[in-house]
Amino acid sequence: METLSKASALSRRQLLLGGGAFALATLAPRLSRAAPQTILRAAPHTTQILPGDWPATPTWAYSAQNPGPVLRVKQGERLRVMLQNDLQQPTTVHWHGLRIPHAMDGVPDVTQAPVQPGGSFVYDFMAPDAGTYWYHPHVNSSEQVGRGLHGALIVEEHNPPKVDRDLVWVLDDWRLDRDGSIRDDFQRGMDISHGGRSGNVVTVNGRMPEPLQVRKNERIRLRLINVANARIFGLNFENHDAQVIAIDGQPVTPHKPEFDMVLLAPGQRADVILDCTGEAGSSHRIIDAAYQDEATVLQNIVYAEGPPVRESAPGPAPTLAPNPLTEPDLNNAEHHDITITGGAMGAMQGAVYKGKYLPIDELVQDMRIWALNGVAAHTTAMTPMLNFALGKSHIITVKNETVFPHPMHLHGHSFRVLSQDGAPVPHTPWADTVLLNGRGVAQIALVADNPGDWLFHCHVLAHVQGGMTSVIRVA
């Protein structure tokens, strides 16, 4: 469970990888060529999350895998996926970070009807941008993602950088009881009103982490994806010069992260070049230091004995080719404001809920704790909070008036992160999720070139339950 001290522990200097909003989507995709169809079957499963002498964990999974299968497609190619729902509740698949047509975005009652138990739905779209993305449900997300429904989606470059290994790490945490089962407390008021649902078991690719075995002078591309409900990861690769080459799937000038810590809030991703320059037989820690005074060792980098992969280190980290994003015209952009209010220890006195203003004591009875621009959500099909002119540039100032950090995620578009807490963001990255510290402010910019109603919400999934979601209309 997150506490106030933990939620407030991130310092402003630690907001390294702010990024936020979905990338611009394609126009009418060319779907004339046949494409193979992948089937994702959402169903109950059993996974050995804990070590083998502990009980297995009943989970929910895609195609009997936790996390779900890694889907791979070349940039510009067609992806065709059939979701088969064998759960006992409705679900969808949202393609987090992909700039795809509105009808394929996987948001219930906004882009499609929820897929009922026993039903299916075919997602069919082109993948416009190379990069690291992921997929997950957008129905009852806190529970469905928290029980294991998520997976990585890799859109491969036509000319990828030369590396010795390309590894996907899905970072997560689970709230488990001693019998290995997932605690069934997804409606817990403390989580919804505070920092979200944190787990007590951290995993990499659905398992408790094991040492990363490497060889001297090996070059590894690490694709890091934070799928946790609330946990923020801050990874330090001890004695290694880790270089960030992409944020939220979008290329960025290769650089060492500030304070040598790759910071990832829920929903965020980073591609990291890890050059293994240690000595044969040595061991080095990967430290998770996102929260002050709570640093832990995620796992170890262990060097094999024997000769190096090559005689010398590989050299500078590669620069990825940019994706086809349209730069916002900052001089002629329309300006908008979004204010986050609510939560425990907050000053929110009330909010509009189901079209009517209610005082906070009445909102709490329906577990609506959070609001965007004074409105607490009761559905995904909200009246638009903002209206963006199609084809125009827009600058959004997002102000967090709460004491908790919020990773804010926009569907349908990518944006530039211009500043955080009044300071310019290094490298001005494109991203689809921007992390705001408690009482923090971020300024982002985008071109509204994908028509439709697009969700803007916190990716702490318990906060979505508590009302922190809305819609931006592009028309």
Side-chain angles (χ1 to χ4, degrees):
M1 179 188 72
E2 293 253 293
T3 63
L4 175 60
S5 61
K6 187 172 184 179
S8 305
L10 289 171
S11 70
R12 293 186 179 186
R13 297 173 63 209
Q14 288 176 315
L15 293 175
L16 315 180
L17 291 183
F22 251 62
L24 97 111
T26 56
L27 300 179
R30 299 188 297 269
L31 299 179
S32 57
R33 289 190 299 123
Q37 179 171 282
T38 299
I39 297 177
L40 285 180
R41 177 176 174 263
H45 185 55
T46 302
T47 303
Q48 191 67 49
I49 295 174
L50 297 170
D53 53 342
W54 285 76
T57 299
T59 65
W60 295 349
Y62 288 120
S63 300
Q65 297 182 45
N66 286 122
V70 177
L71 303 181
R72 289 184 178 268
V73 64
K74 284 284 188 182
Q75 183 178 13
E77 291 186 351
R78 179 180 176 185
L79 184 67
R80 196 163 183 264
V81 178
M82 174 182 283
L83 168 66
Q84 175 64 44
N85 183 12
D86 289 341
L87 302 172
Q88 294 184 350
Q89 59 179 258
T91 191
T92 64
V93 175
H94 167 60
W95 307 94
H96 185 118
L98 283 181
R99 304 183 305 123
I100 55 178
H102 187 257
M104 296 291 104
D105 196 44
V107 178
D109 304 318
V110 177
T111 71
Q112 68 173 98
V115 181
Q116 298 299 319
S120 63
F121 186 90
V122 176
Y123 297 91
D124 197 343
F125 53 84
M126 309 295 281
D129 297 329
T132 301
Y133 306 96
W134 64 297
Y135 58 92
H136 63 83
H138 232 292
V139 177
N140 189 19
S141 296
S142 182
E143 180 174 10
Q144 292 193 11
V145 175
R147 290 190 183 277
L149 288 174
H150 48 69
L153 172 59
I154 307 302
V155 182
E156 298 174 339
E157 299 93 352
H158 290 289
N159 295 296
K162 294 181 179 180
V163 296
D164 298 302
R165 280 190 285 169
D166 186 325
L167 302 180
V168 177
W169 282 7
V170 176
L171 306 173
D172 198 3
D173 67 350
W174 307 73
R175 184 178 289 180
L176 302 183
D177 278 324
R178 295 185 65 85
D179 64 358
S181 64
I182 298 171
R183 292 185 190 172
D184 189 18
D185 57 356
F186 291 95
Q187 303 298 322
R188 189 168 180 260
M190 180 69 75
D191 295 334
I192 295 173
S193 62
H194 288 67
R197 178 187 173 91
S198 289
N200 52 9
V201 175
V202 173
T203 59
V204 175
N205 294 335
R207 304 293 185 273
M208 294 186 68
E210 297 180 352
L212 173 62
Q213 304 285 341
V214 303
R215 293 172 60 193
K216 182 177 175 63
N217 292 336
E218 182 178 10
R219 169 164 281 185
I220 297 174
R221 179 179 186 170
L222 275 181
R223 300 177 184 264
L224 304 172
I225 306 172
N226 184 353
V227 305
N229 275 30
R231 181 183 293 271
I232 297 170
F233 289 89
L235 302 187
N236 168 263
F237 297 84
E238 185 179 50
N239 302 322
H240 286 73
D241 181 22
Q243 295 281 314
V244 176
I245 61 171
I247 294 172
D248 284 1
Q250 303 298 335
V252 68
T253 302
H255 64 278
K256 177 186 293 188
E258 195 174 4
F259 312 112
D260 286 334
M261 185 172 68
V262 181
L263 191 71
L264 291 176
Q268 291 184 316
R269 291 90 61 215
D271 287 35
V272 174
I273 292 294
L274 183 67
D275 285 333
C276 302
T277 55
E279 296 301 321
S282 64
S283 179
H284 311 265
R285 300 174 299 174
I286 301 176
I287 301 169
D288 181 6
Y291 300 101
Q292 292 177 359
D293 303 321
E294 294 186 23
T296 58
V297 177
L298 179 73
Q299 62 188 105
N300 291 301
I301 302 171
V302 177
Y303 281 78
E305 300 287 354
V309 172
R310 53 184 58 84
E311 289 303 316
S312 59
T319 299
L320 300 176
N323 286 316
L325 300 168
T326 303
E327 287 287 349
D329 180 356
L330 301 183
N331 293 325
N332 296 291
E334 297 181 10
H335 287 257
H336 312 268
D337 295 293
I338 296 175
T339 302
I340 304 167
T341 53
M345 285 76 68
M348 187 173 78
Q349 299 299 308
V352 175
Y353 179 56
K354 297 183 179 180
K356 180 182 178 181
Y357 180 85
L358 296 179
I360 187 64
D361 56 339
E362 294 185 36
L363 290 171
V364 169
Q365 294 176 19
D366 212 4
M367 203 51 69
R368 289 306 187 270
I369 309 294
W370 306 93
L372 295 175
N373 283 2
V375 179
H378 67 283
T379 175
T380 50
M382 298 287 291
T383 300
M385 172 178 60
L386 298 174
N387 289 275
F388 286 0
L390 181 65
K392 300 294 185 180
S393 295
H394 301 268
I395 296 175
I396 311 168
T397 300
V398 187
K399 185 177 181 181
N400 180 12
E401 293 187 347
T402 82
V403 299
F404 298 96
H406 300 292
M408 302 304 297
H409 174 56
L410 175 65
H411 293 213
H413 296 76
S414 280
F415 54 69
R416 289 284 193 190
V417 185
L418 303 179
S419 67
Q420 291 196 275
D421 300 326
V425 175
H427 312 290
T428 321
W430 289 105
D432 54 64
T433 307
V434 62
L435 175 60
L436 280 77
N437 196 22
R439 309 295 184 189
V441 179
Q443 192 172 66
I444 61 178
L446 59 90
V447 177
D449 49 11
N450 191 11
D453 285 1
W454 301 102
L455 287 196
F456 182 77
H457 65 90
C458 181
H459 226 282
V460 172
L461 299 179
H463 293 173
V464 175
Q465 288 177 277
M468 201 189 307
T469 187
S470 193
V471 168
I472 294 175
R473 176 168 292 169
V474 176

